[in-house]
Amino acid sequence: SSGSNAEYGEFQTFHHYFKQINLSKMALVKLVKDIGTSVRVIGGQMFNPFWWRSEGKKNLLELEKKVPGAIERVNKGEIIPEWEYITEGKLGWEYRQVLAGNQDPWCLESIHYPRSNHARPHIIYTMESYRIIGCVDCMDDLHYINYILIKSGEMGRCRDCGSCFLCLPHPEPELIWQDHH
């Protein structure tokens, strides 16, 4: 009899706890289902060597679809570089650009320009409505970077050295962002 009262008291404490944090019956059912799924995944997949073996075979078959001859190469112990099998999305596009010879596909590398004036400004291309430029060539004894925010179609000037920068829209944004895969 005392055992059933203790169990009933524990149940009331449990029930009171869930009542305090305002969990509805649906949320409680979802929580129990999620815990069951986690237990099933841990028991059925994480500690199951057969599952890992079958997943490894699936991954090799997927890799073989993307890179012909990959299974033989992997069986020989060769590591296949990412750029051979990642063909989708932005990373695949970037790999294709670099392999085609474009070392700066996102137009992020800094380019060293000689000083300029308003008659011969540096042309800076952007794919946005503005570009932030850092001028580091001002003077040899300065140890900071002058950052200049220039809107597309406008000219900006460095306050220290007077170099001028003209920000223009990129001439071929569709070419840069196209992805045939």
Side-chain angles (χ1 to χ4, degrees):
S1 168
S2 63
S4 64
N5 284 342
E7 289 173 12
Y8 181 72
E10 288 174 11
F11 174 75
Q12 276 196 337
T13 306
F14 183 74
H15 181 70
H16 181 69
Y17 171 74
F18 278 101
K19 209 174 185 183
Q20 280 183 338
I21 58 173
N22 269 339
L23 282 181
S24 66
K25 289 180 184 178
M26 295 297 287
L28 185 59
V29 168
K30 182 176 178 350
L31 177 68
V32 170
K33 283 182 180 178
D34 289 346
I35 290 172
T37 301
S38 298
V39 168
R40 188 174 65 250
V41 166
I42 290 170
Q45 295 175 359
M46 286 181 64
F47 299 124
N48 185 347
F50 302 109
W51 182 84
W52 284 106
R53 184 179 172 109
S54 69
E55 283 300 303
K57 286 181 180 178
K58 286 180 194 174
N59 291 340
L60 271 178
L61 292 175
E62 288 291 320
L63 185 60
E64 182 69 28
K65 287 180 188 175
K66 295 177 181 178
V67 182
I71 292 178
E72 292 84 27
R73 290 170 63 188
V74 168
N75 288 339
K76 290 179 189 174
E78 185 179 338
I79 296 174
I80 298 177
E82 272 189 341
W83 55 266
E84 284 191 39
Y85 63 88
I86 295 182
T87 57
E88 295 91 22
K90 292 180 181 177
L91 187 59
W93 176 85
E94 184 176 353
Y95 283 144
R96 288 191 302 281
Q97 290 290 313
V98 170
L99 289 172
N102 182 2
Q103 293 301 316
D104 185 24
W106 301 109
C107 304
L108 296 175
E109 290 294 319
S110 63
I111 301 170
H112 179 71
Y113 294 105
R115 287 206 181 134
S116 66
N117 57 23
H118 66 282
R120 297 181 303 112
H122 299 303
I123 307 297
I124 308 295
Y125 293 110
T126 183
M127 291 180 276
E128 303 292 333
S129 60
Y130 64 93
R131 186 79 184 247
I132 297 174
I133 300 163
C135 186
V136 294
D137 250 0
C138 296
M139 295 175 201
D140 293 335
D141 60 342
L142 295 178
H143 300 290
Y144 59 87
I145 300 172
N146 284 326
Y147 288 100
I148 309 158
L149 186 131
I150 304 173
K151 293 182 181 175
S152 182
E154 294 183 0
M155 186 181 296
R157 182 178 213 130
C158 176
R159 66 177 183 203
D160 285 343
C161 68
S163 288
C164 294
F165 302 92
L166 178 62
C167 186
L168 296 175
H170 199 281
E172 300 181 60
E174 288 81 26
L175 181 66
I176 285 182
W177 292 107
Q178 74 183 358
D179 193 1
H180 297 293
H181 294 276

